[in-house]
């Protein structure tokens, strides 16, 4: 499928909101604009004040617009792993005409059958991910279109999330004057971006060290198997420094970035000045002492995560741990993770110009996930869309060749009705002034029967 076009990824973090504008051409991504602004109305990765968050989102989008020299109307947003649930699902439909080839609508209908699920009232479906299709008992099929049969089945996974988190995310984006093209499960997108094929296959842990929380995700057999969110992150390290050294939070954050190490043994005994509250003259503090404060908190965070990962046997996987996120910028973090987790660890830093910092990994992953979605993944997520527009209407242009063309777009100057902005809709890329996001509805859902077969 040709996913060429311009995509805008939105990563809402605890301390900063990041917006990346990228152009996909024949599978190659070219970043053309980046915006990063301080967060407001966000606590531990979750929007808690819609009004404040919408203003911060708007500022970040405007910053990206200036750098990319385009107007941004629609975004793809990531949703954090907080209280996400991953469940296996199975769907089956009968094909009315055994001589007719299986097409787009059949894939949508079997995905819809699989996503029919009794959910707790506080949860809603975020993503449906097909793992395999079965045609008349023949399994292991990734794309059944073009085949013939009388029975089509799908095994997959259903990811659900808290309604409050999803509602606040959508409302803040809409209030910022933007359309929401897709909601991407952040740890799922991150795994696809920072892990190579072998790491996704044999099993690897991704560790996103954010400011407000730290998220561990287990990827095995190319599926998202498990997530755990530790409700502490880099902000807690900064607070510890502020309390121990009796300095402001801004000063604490600054000296953490300039002089801090994740492992105190790697720090020097060189001293640097610290502005202390209540004193006229700065106080000299050594890098080693500062790093001891940092290491104590980081060790606590990592130990809590390790206990949860041990419960599902994740630390036995050969891929080890791949670390990213703003907290991963601390020198020595790989050494500390290897010591605590007792497995191999490595750091992921994006290599795109202007994004060479682990804090941008998540925003980049959201873009990468959206730009690389397959036809079947798009069709499966289409089944989740409400009946504002019927499946036949959605696919009416694709009936002839049975290949979805989700790249239809409207002119950038045409703003969508307010009632349509919350639901993913096709948008248009005017090459000079608009942001085109592919008309897709969501990404695939990873299936699992067991944690680790």
């Amino acid at each position: 499928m040709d996913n060429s076009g311009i995509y805008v990824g939105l990563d809402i973090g605890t301390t900063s909101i990041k917006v990346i504008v990228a152009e996909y051409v024949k599978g190659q991504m070219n970043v053309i604009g980046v915006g990063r602004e301080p967060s407001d109305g966000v606590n531990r990765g979750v929007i808690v004040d819609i009004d404040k968050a919408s203003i911060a989102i708007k500022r970040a989008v405007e910053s990206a617009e200036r750098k990319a020299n385009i107007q941004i109307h629609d975004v793809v947003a990531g949703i954090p792993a907080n209280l996400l649930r991953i469940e296996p699902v199975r769907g089956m439909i009968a094909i009315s005409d055994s001589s007719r080839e299986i097409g787009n609508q059949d894939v949508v209908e079997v995905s819809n059958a699989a996503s029919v699920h009794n959910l707790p009232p506080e949860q809603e479906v975020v993503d449906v991910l097909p793992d395999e299709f079965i045609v008349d008992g023949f399994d292991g099929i990734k794309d059944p279109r073009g085949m013939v049969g009388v029975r089509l089945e799908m095994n997959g996974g259903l990811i659900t999330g808290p309604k409050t988190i999803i509602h606040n995310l959508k409302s803040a984006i809409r209030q910022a004057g933007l359309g929401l093209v897709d909601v991407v499960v952040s740890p799922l997108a991150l795994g696809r971006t920072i892990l190579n094929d072998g790491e996704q296959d044999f099993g690897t842990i991704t560790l996103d060290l954010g400011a407000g929380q730290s998220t561990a995700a287990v990827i095995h057999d190319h599926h998202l198997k498990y997530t755990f969110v530790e409700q502490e992150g880099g902000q807690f390290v900064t607070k510890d420094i502020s309390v121990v050294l009796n300095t402001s939070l801004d000063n604490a954050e600054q000296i953490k970035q300039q002089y801090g190490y994740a492992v105190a043994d790697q720090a020097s005994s060189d001293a640097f000045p610290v502005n202390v509250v209540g004193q006229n003259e700065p106080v000299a503090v050594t890098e080693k002492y500062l790093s001891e404060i940092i290491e104590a908190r980081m060790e606590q965070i990592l130990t809590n995560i390790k206990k949860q990962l041990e419960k599902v046997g994740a630390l036995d996987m050969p891929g080890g741990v791949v670390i990213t996120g703003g907290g991963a910028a601390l020198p020595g973090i790989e050494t500390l993770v290897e010591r605590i987790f007792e497995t191999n660890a490595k750091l992921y830093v994006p290599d795109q110009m202007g994004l060479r910092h682990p804090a941008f990994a998540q925003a980049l992953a959201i873009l990468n996930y959206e730009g690389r979605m397959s036809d079947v993944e798009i069709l499966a997520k289409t089944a989740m869309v409400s009946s504002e527009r019927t499946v036949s209407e959605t696919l009416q242009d694709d009936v002839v060749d049975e290949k979805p063309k989700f790249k239809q777009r409207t002119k950038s100057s045409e703003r969508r009705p307010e009632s349509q902005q919350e639901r993913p809709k096709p948008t248009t890329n005017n090459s000079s002034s608009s942001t085109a996001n592919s008309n897709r509805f969501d990404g695939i859902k990873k299936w699992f029967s067991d944690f680790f077969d």
Side-chain angles (χ1 to χ4, degrees):
M1 179 178 178
D2 181 12
N3 289 344
S4 298
I6 295 178
Y7 297 79
V8 181
L10 173 64
D11 176 32
I12 301 175
T14 303
T15 58
S16 67
I17 293 176
K18 293 165 280 289
V19 176
I20 299 179
V21 184
E23 183 178 18
Y24 263 92
V25 179
K26 296 181 179 179
Q28 298 297 315
M29 182 174 68
N30 178 36
V31 175
I32 60 176
V34 180
R36 184 179 186 179
E37 295 292 329
S39 288
D40 202 1
V42 182
N43 183 31
R44 296 181 177 180
V46 176
I47 294 175
V48 294
D49 189 317
I50 295 173
D51 293 336
K52 291 182 178 179
S54 66
I55 294 172
I57 291 170
K58 192 171 184 178
R59 287 200 307 264
V61 167
E62 289 172 349
S63 176
E65 284 180 330
R66 288 192 296 270
K67 295 173 183 176
N69 196 28
I70 63 171
Q71 274 190 303
I72 295 174
H73 298 309
D74 303 273
V75 298
V76 179
I79 184 170
N82 302 63
L83 301 177
L84 283 181
R85 295 175 56 179
I86 311 171
E87 302 178 50
V89 292
R90 184 183 183 90
M92 183 186 73
I93 63 168
I95 307 298
S96 57
D97 184 356
S98 61
S99 64
R100 176 179 64 81
E101 292 183 349
I102 295 171
N104 291 339
Q105 188 163 340
D106 298 311
V107 174
V108 173
E109 289 178 356
V110 75
S111 300
N112 186 55
S115 62
V116 175
H117 203 66
N118 290 327
L119 298 176
E122 71 278 5
Q123 295 282 115
E124 74 175 72
V125 176
V126 177
D127 212 345
V128 57
L129 302 172
D131 177 57
E132 67 167 353
F133 293 90
I134 305 170
V135 179
D136 291 349
F138 292 96
D139 58 6
I141 299 170
K142 296 300 182 183
D143 187 349
R145 293 173 303 161
M147 300 181 180
V148 294
V150 297
R151 188 177 73 253
L152 175 63
E153 300 171 72
M154 187 196 85
N155 288 326
L158 195 70
I159 297 182
T160 62
K163 285 184 178 179
T164 298
I165 293 177
I166 299 169
H167 170 79
N168 290 358
L169 174 68
K170 292 179 178 180
S171 295
I173 291 172
R174 184 171 60 246
Q175 195 164 311
L178 301 166
L180 181 60
V181 172
D182 197 1
V183 175
V184 175
V185 178
S186 292
L188 176 61
L190 194 63
R192 285 197 180 186
T193 299
I194 72 175
L195 303 182
N196 59 41
D197 187 72
E199 290 169 336
Q200 293 185 57
D201 189 14
F202 287 95
T204 305
I205 299 164
T206 62
L207 184 58
D208 182 9
L209 300 176
Q213 59 187 26
S214 303
T215 304
V218 177
I219 307 293
H220 181 256
D221 196 23
H222 293 269
H223 303 313
L224 176 64
K225 301 285 190 175
Y226 174 77
T227 62
F228 172 73
V229 178
E230 168 63 24
Q231 296 295 331
E232 291 186 6
Q235 271 189 335
F236 289 80
V237 176
T238 302
K239 289 178 181 177
D240 288 349
I241 296 171
S242 174
V243 171
V244 174
L245 300 184
N246 199 24
T247 188
S248 68
L249 285 172
D250 288 342
N251 286 337
E253 180 64 28
Q254 185 177 5
I255 63 176
K256 180 182 74 172
Q257 295 179 10
Q258 290 184 353
Y259 305 106
Y261 287 79
V263 178
D265 290 344
Q266 296 183 5
S268 71
S269 298
D270 295 341
F272 57 89
V274 177
N275 294 322
V276 176
V277 175
Q279 297 195 27
N280 295 326
E281 297 296 327
V283 174
V285 175
T286 65
E287 291 182 1
K288 188 174 184 63
Y289 183 60
L290 171 66
S291 299
E292 286 174 351
I293 301 171
I294 295 172
E295 182 179 353
R297 175 63 72 170
M298 290 304 302
E299 185 172 337
Q300 175 184 316
I301 293 171
L302 295 174
T303 300
N304 290 340
I305 294 173
K306 178 188 178 184
K307 290 177 182 177
Q308 299 301 318
L309 294 174
E310 285 178 331
K311 292 180 180 180
V312 296
L315 294 176
D316 297 329
M317 298 187 304
V321 183
V322 178
I323 319 159
T324 193
L330 280 170
I333 190 65
E334 295 165 271
T335 302
L336 183 61
V337 171
E338 286 183 342
R339 191 183 78 200
I340 301 297
F341 285 15
E342 300 178 290
T343 187
N344 56 300
K346 69 177 183 179
L347 178 66
Y348 173 82
V349 179
D351 57 5
Q352 284 80 1
M353 184 70 70
L355 302 178
R356 291 170 183 166
H357 191 282
F360 287 104
Q362 187 62 75
L364 189 66
I366 293 168
L367 275 179
N368 182 69
Y369 184 93
E370 186 73 10
R372 296 181 182 276
M373 285 173 62
S374 68
D375 295 355
V376 170
E377 293 171 345
I378 297 168
L379 287 168
K381 195 53 181 278
T382 303
M384 293 171 47
V385 179
S386 63
S387 58
E388 285 181 48
R389 189 176 181 216
T390 64
V391 169
S392 60
E393 289 174 333
T394 303
L395 302 174
Q396 62 184 353
D397 298 321
D398 306 319
V399 173
V400 175
D401 61 2
E402 295 290 3
K403 296 292 285 182
K405 298 167 184 158
F406 290 102
K407 304 302 288 184
Q408 306 162 31
R409 300 174 175 121
T410 57
K411 292 181 180 179
S412 62
S413 60
E414 297 175 356
R415 298 312 304 261
R416 296 178 296 174
E418 186 68 17
S419 61
Q420 296 178 355
Q421 288 189 359
E422 187 169 334
R423 186 173 71 86
K425 298 288 271 186
T427 56
T428 300
N429 172 32
N430 184 317
S431 59
S432 64
S433 64
S434 70
T435 303
N437 293 288
S438 45
N439 167 33
R440 54 192 100 211
F441 300 92
D442 268 58
I444 61 172
K445 193 133 202 30
K446 302 195 164 180
W447 172 73
F448 60 100
S449 297
D450 255 307
F451 269 122
F452 313 109
D453 296 333

